[in-house]
Amino acid sequence: MLRIITLTTDFGAIDGYVASMKGVILNINPQAVIVDLSHSIEPQFVRQASFILHTSWRFFPEGSIHIAVVDPGVGSHRKAVILKTPSAYFVGPDNGIFSYVLHELAQTHVSQNVPSTTDLKKRLLPEGCEAVALSNQEFWRHPVSSTFHGRDIFAPAAAHLSMDVSLSEFGESLDSLFAFPIPEPFTDPAGNVVGCIVHIDRFGNLITNFKKEHVPPKGAAVEIRNQRISSMNRIYAEGGGLQALIGSNDYLEISIKDGNAASLLGATVGDTLKLLNAANL
Amino acid sequence: MLRIITLTTDFGAIDGYVASMKGVILNINPQAVIVDLSHSIEPQFVRQASFILHTSWRFFPEGSIHIAVVDPGVGSHRKAVILKTPSAYFVGPDNGIFSYVLHELAQTHVSQNVPSTTDLKKRLLPEGCEAVALSNQEFWRHPVSSTFHGRDIFAPAAAHLSMDVSLSEFGESLDSLFAFPIPEPFTDPAGNVVGCIVHIDRFGNLITNFKKEHVPPKGAAVEIRNQRISSMNRIYAEGGGLQALIGSNDYLEISIKDGNAASLLGATVGDTLKLLNAANL
Amino acid sequence: MLRIITLTTDFGAIDGYVASMKGVILNINPQAVIVDLSHSIEPQFVRQASFILHTSWRFFPEGSIHIAVVDPGVGSHRKAVILKTPSAYFVGPDNGIFSYVLHELAQTHVSQNVPSTTDLKKRLLPEGCEAVALSNQEFWRHPVSSTFHGRDIFAPAAAHLSMDVSLSEFGESLDSLFAFPIPEPFTDPAGNVVGCIVHIDRFGNLITNFKKEHVPPKGAAVEIRNQRISSMNRIYAEGGGLQALIGSNDYLEISIKDGNAASLLGATVGDTLKLLNAANL
């Protein structure tokens, strides 16, 4: 039996929304081990939820179930779905929230740098994945509200899944899900690699979409908001100013020892930055 | 054996207060399943705790134990109590924190619209409910502090309750608890129904004390802060401006697609609003 | 088998860092009971984490494991350690984060009032304590990052510890750990006792380093930021202005009924205050 169910939402800490979901889960599976992944996603910021989920889900035991509910279209025509990957289950709205997970699995590269929420597209599932729509109302809570599917559809679905209800019982099979393009770095005419900030963490570290393989073996300089950062280090405690390092999810980050790089630079998610070609240094 | 214990407090996220309560519970019942309901109640805002608890407790399995500690009078003459209802247990100070729960069960209607914290009154328990004072010091943690009964009285009481200690062992039986009046909509001379905002959630949705039955079958307009809202919809994603809908706890809410209605309107808890009589439209 | 693992970090609520640690723990010990102690420690504020941990750990069952990760030096030469005390285990960086715990156990008094982060010193372990360095890579997650030892070293160590791996298997024994001096009140030439604010809680209560034994049996006046506070009470609900009382962790606190003493006084952690000698009143 699967026991672990994680929750990623934009419900925040004040209201009883998260607790209501947990109550519904425990009603169905009193043995469920429920883990908060994050409830502080910015309201309706589906991309942020998708990214945060992607940085954490793979550290959970195989077969864990991850509910993600950032769902501005709740009650509309958007589908409610389960995505089964080779090592985990994901439950949530079909609104792009699983884009990073799908991208990880597909390793498809989309050469587009600027995040946009407008170009959601249906994409075929990567090999080894399955998906179903949560159309079988037998697994919903009743009466079902039109504004809180987290409590009435996603939580009960995950709980039933954790009780070994098989995927096909939840509803019709899907061969594609909606996903937004994941911004990938690209090389500009001058030979620099252009990327962007995909997340800013609690410490003000700027997490970019550069991965290890984008960084020249001998390091490089980073240009961001008209500042050049030449320190390429290994740990946060190095350096006396802004520095770049490879963070714990293998993305290049901009940080500063004992400080907040985001505040210092006035940087925000979506800002572009460049890994400079040695010839341009 | 009862296993689920939920916690609703104004203790916030920084201090170790919540964890201390959990430690005390786990010392007494290592099998307890502890669920955070909310710890971000505004300091000493008993009414908010009462409302939040009311929106969530009923989704938990029968027999769950709900501790609620927003307790400005800790250590004073106010009693510490357990309330037993037909489907759950509540543990906390006798300061009105269970007003909404009692109201739900009693379905008494009090025609008073403006929330006030000054008119706490003793009210007889609804049928099917029991209450006891936590006077038996055998079930307290010792030494008991005069400033943190959450840790020293409520947590141990809930833990012992979850170990099947019977209600009568905790202390003397009570036939009434303190409660504040729940503001109920009323009809004004012009035939409009006057209500108020009882909660603003993380999304800025204004949750009112209007329930489904107050809304005319053909919809109505809402007037709030000199704005008239004529869109009565079913889901958050509809409309292009302010709208009203019935939310997931069956209260009428004011929301706006992809925005924050509270900020837009400058609305706060306690503000009045009107459901306009068709004749006044 | 030890089952309870608590977490104290400065990771905040948005990112997936805390969840990643929980996933790693549950992979190793699916039966672990994980409890959040605090994740809202101010970024890199090791002293705050040390104090908060100290106010809460002792309420957990004997044998509980407390992970504390506020770790600005992650990846540097600072050691990763387990501290075993007579009643609990602590896992974290050797950067002073266990100073308050060690102080509690050693009851050594250091006559120094002003907190400082610069005078970390190696101190011999109190009697009955043991410590080891987490040098045995067999108990690390691989590949180990250089920026997130919470996930890759501390979480797996705690999980293995909870599975009864013996202390000596984790690495070499240590007879001392780094600790900062705990500020202790001292008597000034005029006979007043000088102390400082060590923490401000969510309610704005100023928690000082005065303990019961510093307060004259007949009470005293407190002087802080040029204000004299003469009310010495027992509970928060007393008094009509600023008051002093002994809080739930046996420290003297400055509070105000229905208000926030910290805002009112403009007080911050580290501010000094005096318990006035009766002769000076």
Side-chain angles (χ1 to χ4, degrees):
Chain A
M1 197 176 70
L2 311 163
R3 293 169 59 248
I4 296 173
I5 298 176
T6 81
L7 301 178
T8 302
T9 77
D10 59 353
F11 294 161
I14 299 174
D15 303 297
Y17 300 141
V18 171
S20 298
M21 289 180 65
K22 292 181 181 176
V24 168
I25 291 170
L26 291 169
N27 255 303
I28 296 167
N29 182 358
Q31 306 301 322
V33 173
I34 307 175
V35 180
D36 299 305
L37 203 145
S38 175
H39 299 297
S40 300
I41 302 299
E42 226 172 277
Q44 314 191 339
F45 194 178
V46 176
R47 275 181 185 273
Q48 187 185 28
S50 184
F51 182 78
I52 294 290
L53 180 59
H54 142 77
T55 63
S56 191
W57 75 268
R58 87 194 92 105
F59 299 103
F60 283 87
E62 203 171 315
S64 293
I65 299 167
H66 305 282
I67 305 180
V69 191
V70 177
D71 192 12
V74 57
S76 70
H77 58 280
R78 69 98 190 89
K79 281 197 174 74
V81 298
I82 299 175
L83 164 64
K84 183 186 177 199
T85 73
S87 57
Y89 294 82
F90 297 86
V91 181
D94 185 19
N95 67 358
I97 203 163
F98 302 128
S99 298
Y100 269 98
V101 170
L102 290 169
H103 181 71
E104 250 180 296
L105 292 164
Q107 292 302 340
T108 59
H109 289 263
V110 182
S111 282
Q112 146 124 16
N113 197 53
V114 185
S116 149
T117 52
T118 56
D119 47 8
L120 263 186
K121 278 211 323 220
K122 263 200 179 181
R123 281 156 216 271
L124 284 176
L125 296 179
E127 252 191 45
C129 294
E130 298 173 58
V132 295
L134 292 171
S135 49
N136 183 349
Q137 304 195 8
E138 190 188 325
F139 299 109
W140 298 5
R141 201 188 73 86
H142 296 282
V144 66
S145 69
S146 56
T147 59
F148 192 4
H149 287 185
R151 181 191 69 193
D152 298 339
I153 297 183
F154 302 125
H160 285 296
L161 194 57
S162 78
M163 297 292 284
D164 295 330
V165 171
S166 72
L167 211 57
S168 59
E169 295 189 54
F170 288 96
E172 71 275 16
S173 177
L174 303 172
D175 61 0
S176 59
L177 290 179
F178 280 93
F180 46 75
I182 303 300
E184 286 286 327
F186 61 89
T187 304
D188 73 7
N192 304 311
V193 189
V194 181
C196 66
I197 300 174
V198 292
H199 181 62
I200 296 176
D201 76 7
R202 195 211 181 189
F203 300 94
N205 299 319
L206 309 176
I207 298 166
T208 74
N209 63 346
F210 294 126
K211 305 215 73 165
K212 248 183 231 178
E213 59 264 28
H214 296 113
V215 184
K218 296 191 173 187
V222 175
E223 200 174 83
I224 177 170
R225 296 183 78 85
N226 297 320
Q227 285 212 248
R228 183 168 296 187
I229 300 166
S230 303
S231 304
M232 300 287 284
N233 293 321
R234 198 181 54 84
I235 64 172
Y236 293 122
E238 282 174 309
L242 289 161
Q243 62 168 350
L245 52 70
I246 297 295
S248 59
N249 286 298
D250 292 331
Y251 292 108
L252 185 114
E253 300 179 14
I254 308 298
S255 70
I256 184 166
K257 187 183 170 181
D258 300 332
N260 185 305
S263 311
L264 190 75
L265 285 165
T268 57
V269 169
D271 283 0
T272 55
L273 73 178
K274 289 183 189 175
L275 270 173
L276 297 182
N277 186 326
N280 298 335
L281 292 178
Chain B
M1 197 178 67
L2 313 163
R3 293 171 58 248
I4 296 174
I5 298 176
T6 81
L7 301 177
T8 302
T9 76
D10 59 352
F11 294 163
I14 298 175
D15 303 297
Y17 300 140
V18 171
S20 297
M21 289 179 66
K22 293 182 180 175
V24 168
I25 291 169
L26 291 168
N27 255 301
I28 295 167
N29 183 357
Q31 307 300 322
V33 172
I34 307 174
V35 180
D36 299 305
L37 202 146
S38 176
H39 298 298
S40 300
I41 302 300
E42 225 173 277
Q44 316 191 337
F45 195 176
V46 175
R47 275 181 184 273
Q48 188 185 27
S50 184
F51 182 79
I52 295 291
L53 179 59
H54 143 77
T55 64
S56 191
W57 75 269
R58 86 195 91 106
F59 299 104
F60 284 86
E62 203 172 314
S64 292
I65 299 167
H66 306 282
I67 304 179
V69 191
V70 177
D71 193 11
V74 58
S76 71
H77 57 280
R78 71 98 188 86
K79 282 199 175 73
V81 299
I82 299 176
L83 164 65
K84 183 186 176 197
T85 73
S87 58
Y89 294 83
F90 297 86
V91 181
D94 185 19
N95 66 359
I97 202 163
F98 303 128
S99 299
Y100 269 98
V101 170
L102 290 168
H103 181 71
E104 249 181 295
L105 292 164
Q107 292 301 340
T108 59
H109 288 263
V110 181
S111 282
Q112 146 125 19
N113 196 53
V114 184
S116 150
T117 52
T118 56
D119 47 8
L120 264 186
K121 279 213 319 221
K122 264 198 180 184
R123 282 157 213 271
L124 284 176
L125 296 179
E127 252 191 44
C129 294
E130 296 173 59
V132 294
L134 292 170
S135 49
N136 184 351
Q137 304 194 8
E138 192 189 323
F139 299 110
W140 298 6
R141 200 188 71 87
H142 296 281
V144 65
S145 69
S146 56
T147 58
F148 192 4
H149 288 185
R151 181 192 69 193
D152 298 338
I153 297 183
F154 303 125
H160 285 296
L161 194 57
S162 77
M163 296 293 284
D164 293 331
V165 171
S166 73
L167 210 58
S168 60
E169 295 191 53
F170 288 97
E172 72 274 16
S173 176
L174 303 171
D175 62 359
S176 59
L177 290 178
F178 280 93
F180 45 74
I182 303 300
E184 286 286 328
F186 61 89
T187 303
D188 73 7
N192 305 310
V193 189
V194 182
C196 66
I197 300 175
V198 292
H199 181 64
I200 296 177
D201 76 7
R202 196 211 181 189
F203 300 94
N205 299 320
L206 309 176
I207 298 165
T208 74
N209 63 344
F210 294 127
K211 305 213 75 164
K212 248 184 230 179
E213 59 265 29
H214 297 112
V215 185
K218 294 193 172 185
V222 175
E223 199 174 83
I224 177 170
R225 295 183 78 86
N226 298 318
Q227 285 214 247
R228 185 169 293 188
I229 301 167
S230 304
S231 304
M232 300 287 285
N233 293 322
R234 201 181 52 85
I235 64 172
Y236 293 123
E238 280 173 312
L242 289 161
Q243 62 168 350
L245 51 71
I246 297 295
S248 58
N249 286 297
D250 293 331
Y251 292 107
L252 184 115
E253 299 179 14
I254 308 297
S255 69
I256 184 166
K257 186 182 171 182
D258 300 333
N260 185 306
S263 311
L264 190 74
L265 286 165
T268 58
V269 169
D271 284 0
T272 56
L273 72 178
K274 290 183 187 173
L275 270 173
L276 297 182
N277 185 326
N280 298 335
L281 291 179
Chain C
M1 197 177 69
L2 312 163
R3 293 170 57 247
I4 296 174
I5 298 176
T6 81
L7 301 177
T8 302
T9 76
D10 59 352
F11 294 163
I14 300 176
D15 304 297
Y17 300 140
V18 171
S20 298
M21 288 180 65
K22 293 182 180 175
V24 167
I25 291 169
L26 291 168
N27 256 301
I28 295 167
N29 182 357
Q31 307 299 323
V33 172
I34 306 175
V35 180
D36 299 306
L37 201 146
S38 175
H39 299 297
S40 300
I41 302 298
E42 224 173 279
Q44 314 190 340
F45 194 177
V46 175
R47 274 180 185 272
Q48 188 185 28
S50 184
F51 182 78
I52 294 291
L53 179 58
H54 143 77
T55 64
S56 191
W57 75 268
R58 88 193 92 106
F59 299 104
F60 284 87
E62 203 172 313
S64 292
I65 299 167
H66 305 282
I67 304 179
V69 191
V70 177
D71 193 11
V74 58
S76 71
H77 59 280
R78 71 96 189 90
K79 283 197 173 75
V81 298
I82 299 176
L83 164 64
K84 182 185 177 200
T85 73
S87 58
Y89 294 82
F90 296 86
V91 181
D94 184 19
N95 66 359
I97 202 164
F98 303 128
S99 299
Y100 270 98
V101 170
L102 290 168
H103 181 71
E104 250 180 296
L105 292 164
Q107 291 304 338
T108 59
H109 289 262
V110 182
S111 281
Q112 146 125 20
N113 197 53
V114 185
S116 149
T117 53
T118 57
D119 47 9
L120 263 187
K121 278 210 323 219
K122 263 199 180 181
R123 282 157 214 270
L124 285 176
L125 297 179
E127 253 191 46
C129 294
E130 297 173 60
V132 295
L134 292 170
S135 49
N136 184 351
Q137 305 195 7
E138 191 188 323
F139 298 110
W140 298 5
R141 202 189 71 86
H142 295 281
V144 65
S145 69
S146 55
T147 58
F148 191 4
H149 287 185
R151 181 191 70 194
D152 299 339
I153 296 183
F154 302 125
H160 285 296
L161 194 57
S162 77
M163 298 292 283
D164 294 330
V165 171
S166 71
L167 212 58
S168 60
E169 294 190 55
F170 288 96
E172 71 275 15
S173 176
L174 303 171
D175 61 0
S176 60
L177 290 178
F178 280 94
F180 45 74
I182 303 300
E184 286 287 327
F186 61 89
T187 304
D188 72 7
N192 305 310
V193 189
V194 182
C196 67
I197 300 175
V198 293
H199 181 64
I200 296 175
D201 77 6
R202 196 212 182 191
F203 300 93
N205 299 319
L206 308 176
I207 297 166
T208 74
N209 63 344
F210 294 126
K211 305 215 73 166
K212 249 184 231 179
E213 59 265 27
H214 297 112
V215 184
K218 295 193 173 186
V222 175
E223 199 174 85
I224 176 170
R225 296 183 77 87
N226 298 319
Q227 286 213 245
R228 185 168 294 186
I229 301 166
S230 303
S231 305
M232 301 286 286
N233 294 322
R234 201 181 52 85
I235 64 171
Y236 294 122
E238 282 174 307
L242 289 161
Q243 63 168 350
L245 51 70
I246 297 294
S248 59
N249 286 298
D250 292 331
Y251 293 107
L252 184 116
E253 301 180 13
I254 308 298
S255 69
I256 184 167
K257 187 182 169 182
D258 300 333
N260 184 306
S263 312
L264 189 74
L265 286 164
T268 58
V269 170
D271 284 0
T272 56
L273 74 176
K274 288 182 189 174
L275 270 174
L276 298 182
N277 185 326
N280 298 334
L281 291 179

